[in-house]
């Protein structure tokens, strides 16, 4: 892949977004109730055209959008990302009627979307879904629970993934979510995506208090009725919709992390240049200067990994799963390191409630878990590497036997592509 750099127009756009986040969106975010959906903030994102841009963009532009907003207002970044995650399955697989009903409202910031995949027993192992869609006449009844659902229980509609083929769920198989689901493992088969409005009878929810006070909760499905008109995509192939959505958004989680790392680095640079101790500014202490240099280097490396993964997605490169996993892994771990180092350089003041770094310290932990935990990303990377090397070996062996390797063939794999 060629050396990557942003063009002047992209840099200018990012600068405008950072200013917009700090001056227009942060004051609205600060007025919101912790742990609840901030509808005025989502409305502002719609009025400013950012939600419209969210759905008409490629992976790189999505990353630039999330990184820039995160530097100025993490709440605005998160609100925008959750709208995208919840509604993107509708963009991918919705019918004309479904799109006409919901997408204009989402783009305008009048309707709140949510992505309901995780369950008490199905987090990193997303293919272990237990929410059942029991046949009932011409439709189904949803029974079970979802947990750790962002925007729940305040969303207006949910993209819900349920098991319509219980036999498929009982077969041996894994599903770490590395690709578009084209080669679905047996554990992922039999899952269907449904668009479920929040006012369906039998659907209830409760909020969950988290370390960082975002809107997140649990959903209970007590024979919630759905029909064929609510299906997103094909029956029994909903896991593909989930994986295609996550493949787009996974690199941009890294972009969110890079934005937080940059905000922490900027704060540390300013503080260490101005704070005097031991007869001079902290920046003159070699240990401090070296720490700043390490923080900056890791942040830039994470940024380039994110941009490379996003560009690979936009150009249809074959190694998107590996690049996306690397980007999310390295960027989220880097952000944790940089924010922690910035807190250390600031001392006790950074632990005071309301300090920007205190806020970032609580924000930075979750991205290492959601949309594929760090350990899952390492598993994906290793499997992609070993799978790729096995394919090369097999083609070489075929040539040694005088056989022409089959073009486009990939080795069989027991996880989601």
């Amino acid at each position: 892949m060629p050396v990557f750099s942003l063009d002047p127009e992209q840099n200018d756009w990012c600068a405008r977004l950072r200013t917009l986040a700090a001056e227009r969106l942060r004051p609205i975010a600060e007025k919101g109730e912790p742990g609840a959906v901030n509808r005025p903030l989502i409305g502002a994102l719609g009025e400013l055209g950012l939600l419209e841009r969210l759905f008409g963009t490629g992976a790189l532009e999505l990353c630039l959008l999330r990184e820039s907003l995160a530097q100025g207002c993490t709440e605005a970044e998160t609100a925008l990302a959750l709208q995208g995650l919840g509604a993107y399955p509708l963009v991918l697989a919705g019918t004309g009627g479904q799109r006409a009903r919901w997408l204009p409202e989402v783009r305008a910031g009048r309707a709140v979307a949510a992505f309901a995949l995780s369950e008490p027993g199905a987090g990193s192992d997303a293919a272990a879904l237990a929410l059942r869609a029991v046949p009932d006449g011409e439709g189904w009844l949803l029974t079970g629970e979802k947990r750790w659902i962002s925007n729940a229980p305040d969303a207006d509609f949910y993209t819900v993934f349920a098991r319509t083929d219980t036999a498929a769920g009982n077969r041996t198989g894994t599903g770490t979510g590395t690709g578009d689901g084209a080669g679905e493992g047996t554990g992922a088969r039999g899952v269907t995506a449904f668009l479920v409005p929040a006012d369906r009878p039998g659907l209830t929810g409760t909020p969950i208090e988290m370390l960082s006070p975002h809107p997140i909760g649990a959903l209970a499905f007590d024979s919630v009725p759905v029909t064929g008109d609510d299906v997103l995509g094909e029956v029994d192939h909903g896991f593909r919709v989930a994986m295609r959505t996550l493949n787009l958004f996974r690199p941009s989680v890294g972009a969110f992390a890079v934005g937080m790392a940059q905000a922490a680095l900027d704060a540390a640079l300013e503080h260490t240049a101005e704070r005097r101790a031991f007869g001079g500014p902290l920046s003159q202490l070699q240990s401090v200067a070296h720490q700043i240099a390490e923080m900056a280097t890791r942040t830039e490396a994470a940024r380039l990994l994110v941009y490379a993964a996003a560009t690979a997605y936009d150009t249809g490169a074959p190694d998107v799963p590996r690049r996306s996993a690397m980007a999310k892994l390295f960027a989220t771990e880097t952000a944790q390191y940089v924010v922690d180092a910035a807190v250390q350089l600031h001392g006790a003041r950074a632990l005071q409630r309301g300090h920007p770094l205190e806020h970032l310290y609580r924000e930075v932990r979750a991205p290492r878990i959601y949309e594929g935990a760090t350990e899952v990303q390492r598993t994906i990377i290793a499997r992609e590497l070993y799978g790729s090397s096995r394919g090369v070996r097999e083609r070489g062996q075929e040539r040694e036997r005088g056989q022409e390797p089959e073009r486009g063939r990939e080795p069989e794999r027991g996880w989601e592509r």
Side-chain angles (χ1 to χ4, degrees):
M1 182 170 289
V3 175
F4 190 90
S5 63
L6 300 181
D7 60 40
E9 182 178 348
Q10 289 171 317
N11 281 316
D12 290 343
W13 182 58
C14 291
R16 291 196 303 272
L17 285 173
R18 291 193 294 270
T19 300
L20 192 68
E23 297 180 358
R24 292 281 301 278
L25 298 174
R26 189 188 297 162
I28 301 174
E30 291 173 347
K31 295 177 182 177
E33 179 184 350
V37 170
N38 189 331
R39 289 185 179 266
L41 180 60
I42 295 173
L45 292 169
E47 292 170 8
L48 293 168
L50 297 180
L51 293 176
E52 178 71 34
R53 192 146 187 174
L54 174 66
F55 293 108
T57 186
L60 178 58
E61 190 166 317
L62 174 60
C63 287
L64 297 180
L65 183 57
R66 293 189 68 175
E67 178 189 342
S68 301
L69 289 180
Q71 288 186 51
C73 179
T74 58
E75 295 92 341
E77 186 284 333
T78 299
L80 177 133
L82 295 182
Q83 283 288 86
L85 187 64
Y88 195 70
L90 184 57
V91 175
L92 280 177
T95 65
Q98 290 169 332
R99 291 171 180 168
R101 167 64 181 90
W102 288 108
L103 284 182
E105 296 297 298
V106 171
R107 289 189 174 107
R110 294 188 293 265
V112 177
F115 185 82
L117 178 64
S118 295
E119 298 178 4
S124 294
D125 185 8
L129 294 180
L131 181 73
R132 292 179 293 117
V134 180
D136 180 59
E138 296 183 359
W140 301 265
L141 297 177
L142 302 181
T143 302
E145 182 182 358
K146 293 290 183 180
R147 197 166 181 85
W148 322 117
I149 306 304
S150 295
N151 282 344
D154 299 328
D156 296 303
F157 71 91
Y158 299 89
T159 299
V160 178
F161 299 89
R163 192 164 294 286
T164 41
D165 181 357
T166 55
N170 292 331
R171 302 181 194 118
T172 303
T174 61
T176 55
T178 70
D180 64 5
E184 294 180 17
T186 52
R189 295 179 189 141
V191 171
T192 300
F194 296 95
L195 192 157
V196 183
D199 59 1
R200 283 289 168 88
L203 175 57
T204 57
T206 54
I208 300 173
E209 291 189 19
M210 305 293 286
L211 174 66
S212 185
H214 290 302
I216 191 168
L219 298 172
F221 295 79
D222 184 7
S223 298
V224 175
V226 290
T227 69
D229 292 337
D230 300 314
V231 172
L232 292 169
E234 301 177 52
V235 174
D236 291 339
H237 293 283
F239 203 72
R240 183 176 305 172
V241 176
M243 292 302 102
R244 288 183 64 190
T245 299
L246 292 174
N247 273 348
L248 172 61
F249 279 85
R250 185 171 288 131
S252 71
V253 175
F256 173 38
V258 169
M260 289 191 286
Q262 188 64 55
L265 175 59
D266 291 344
L269 277 167
E270 181 178 358
H271 175 73
T272 55
E274 296 177 355
R275 170 72 168 162
R276 297 185 66 83
F278 308 108
L282 287 178
S283 58
Q284 290 185 357
L285 299 175
Q286 186 181 65
S287 59
V288 172
H290 284 187
Q291 178 74 79
I292 291 290
E294 182 69 18
M295 293 160 67
T297 301
R298 293 197 195 187
T299 300
E300 186 64 13
R303 178 179 287 114
L304 292 175
L305 267 177
V306 168
Y307 291 177
T311 301
Y313 182 96
D314 287 339
T315 57
D319 56 352
V320 169
R322 174 175 61 85
R323 288 188 177 276
S324 294
M326 285 180 170
K328 183 183 185 296
L329 165 66
F330 190 79
T332 55
E333 294 290 330
T334 292
Q336 181 83 54
Y337 164 80
V338 172
V339 171
D340 184 74
V343 168
Q344 192 72 15
L345 290 171
H346 275 74
R349 59 177 47 80
L351 301 178
Q352 185 174 342
R353 182 70 72 180
H355 191 280
L357 285 174
E358 179 267 340
H359 172 77
L360 286 175
Y361 198 76
R362 286 183 289 112
E363 288 273 10
V364 78
R365 188 61 184 86
R368 294 172 61 204
I369 297 175
Y370 64 63
E371 294 186 41
T374 289
E375 292 75 17
V376 171
Q377 304 311 318
R378 290 193 176 108
T379 298
I380 293 170
I381 293 164
R383 286 174 167 175
E384 289 291 316
L385 290 171
Y386 281 116
S388 175
S389 64
R390 186 173 72 178
V392 171
R393 289 197 305 273
E394 288 179 353
R395 288 191 292 273
Q397 291 168 357
E398 288 174 349
R399 288 192 179 93
E400 290 177 359
R401 292 194 298 265
Q403 300 173 351
E404 183 64 24
E406 182 181 342
R407 294 186 181 274
R409 191 188 72 182
E410 293 188 3
E412 295 179 3
R413 309 184 183 197
W415 68 95
E416 302 314 309
R417 289 289 298 163

